[in-house]
Amino acid sequence: MKDNFSVSPAQYAKYRPDYPQAIFDFLYPLLNEKGIAWDCGTGNGQLAQELSKDFEQVEATDISEQQLKYAFQAGNIRYSAQPAEQTTFADDSFDLITVAQAVHWFDVDKFNAEVKRVGKPNSIIAIIGYGLNNITPEIDDIIREFYKNIIGEYWDGENKHIENKYQQIPFPYRELETPEINNIKLWKFEHLIGYLNTWSAVQHFIDKNNYNPVSQIEDDLRAAWGSVEVRRVIFPIIFRVGRVK
């Protein structure tokens, strides 16, 4: 599993979007019980924090100890630095296993084997992600040009799985039909800039060229944003759910 997010964990915690309630409203009725959940690739614990409101215990893992230092805290969340593909958890431990915006970094075949080992019979696995956000056509055009032509060559190959909505990720479970979900946030312009700076390709560009490519589009984005203080930012959710064993 790659670690692209230890460089700026504070920015990641501040600017990455959390996840909408509709995800949990769909998942929870599928469960036999809400005892223990595993949030794998937890990052700063955004999803783990939501799970902790309903589960007795949440195990949240990530390979980035820097990310875990900035994780949301709750009494029933236990964070640990572990790879997705090999954990210390006992067989048949979890009622729910979640991966949010991270499965494309895993050795997926080994991760799936681990899921089958640690998931309880009839447990649920959910892999969640989000694509490029939508704000206004003018703003969206600038961001997509940036994504494709300015930093396009700096994306890791794994990013194609986000573009393909995880449809090419091996998913050897009894897959369930999921609803279409949009994550709608209200952001100021500064939050959008902060979010763009969390992109892994931006960091790769900086490492290679010694300047931040976001600066190339910031003025155009600001002009397109206009005088409106807050805009709706819509993230289409990628959502695959399956029953384990």
Side-chain angles (χ1 to χ4, degrees), residues 29-226:
L30 302 174
L31 303 174
N32 294 325
E33 57 183 314
K34 289 182 280 189
I36 307 180
W38 173 26
D39 185 40
C40 184
T42 194
N44 57 15
Q46 287 175 318
L47 198 74
Q49 183 185 38
E50 291 300 320
L51 295 173
S52 72
K53 298 173 184 177
D54 290 272
F55 277 79
E56 295 175 19
Q57 179 70 33
V58 178
E59 296 285 349
T61 63
D62 203 283
I63 61 167
S64 171
E65 295 188 17
Q66 290 301 312
Q67 284 274 8
L68 295 179
K69 288 179 182 178
Y70 287 85
F72 298 102
Q73 298 298 312
N76 60 339
I77 302 176
R78 183 170 66 177
Y79 291 101
S80 58
Q82 299 192 62
E85 302 85 356
Q86 185 175 11
T87 68
T88 59
F89 303 130
D91 294 357
D92 302 326
S93 291
F94 298 107
D95 303 294
L96 174 66
I97 297 169
T98 57
V99 189
Q101 201 72 355
V103 73
H104 50 292
W105 301 117
F106 299 172
D107 182 323
V108 179
D109 289 335
K110 290 182 179 179
F111 169 67
N112 284 330
E114 188 71 347
V115 167
K116 291 178 179 180
R117 184 183 72 80
V118 302
K120 292 179 181 178
N122 268 337
S123 59
I124 291 291
I125 177 169
I127 61 173
I128 303 156
Y130 48 85
L132 285 173
N133 53 291
N134 300 302
I135 306 175
T136 69
E138 189 177 4
I139 294 170
D140 296 348
D141 285 347
I142 295 168
I143 291 175
R144 279 154 179 75
E145 171 71 15
F146 178 70
Y147 177 95
K148 183 177 180 180
N149 294 323
I150 296 178
I151 61 170
E153 66 183 278
Y154 296 91
W155 288 107
D156 292 273
E158 291 89 344
N159 197 63
K160 69 180 184 297
H161 290 300
I162 291 287
E163 296 175 352
N164 294 331
K165 300 180 180 180
Y166 288 156
Q167 291 305 304
Q168 294 180 356
I169 291 279
F171 198 70
Y173 312 102
R174 182 155 65 84
E175 187 159 7
L176 307 177
E177 186 174 351
T178 56
E180 184 176 314
I181 298 174
N182 285 313
N183 192 13
I184 302 174
K185 314 305 294 182
L186 297 175
W187 280 3
K188 295 182 177 180
F189 178 75
E190 291 71 22
H191 199 121
L192 174 63
I193 295 300
Y195 166 67
L196 294 176
N197 276 299
T198 69
W199 284 5
S200 58
V202 168
Q203 189 58 54
H204 293 331
F205 185 105
I206 293 170
D207 292 343
K208 182 73 177 293
N209 300 287
N210 297 313
Y211 75 92
N212 189 334
V214 176
S215 63
Q216 294 181 229
I217 62 166
E218 186 166 354
D219 288 346
D220 288 341
L221 275 178
R222 191 180 296 275
W225 189 276

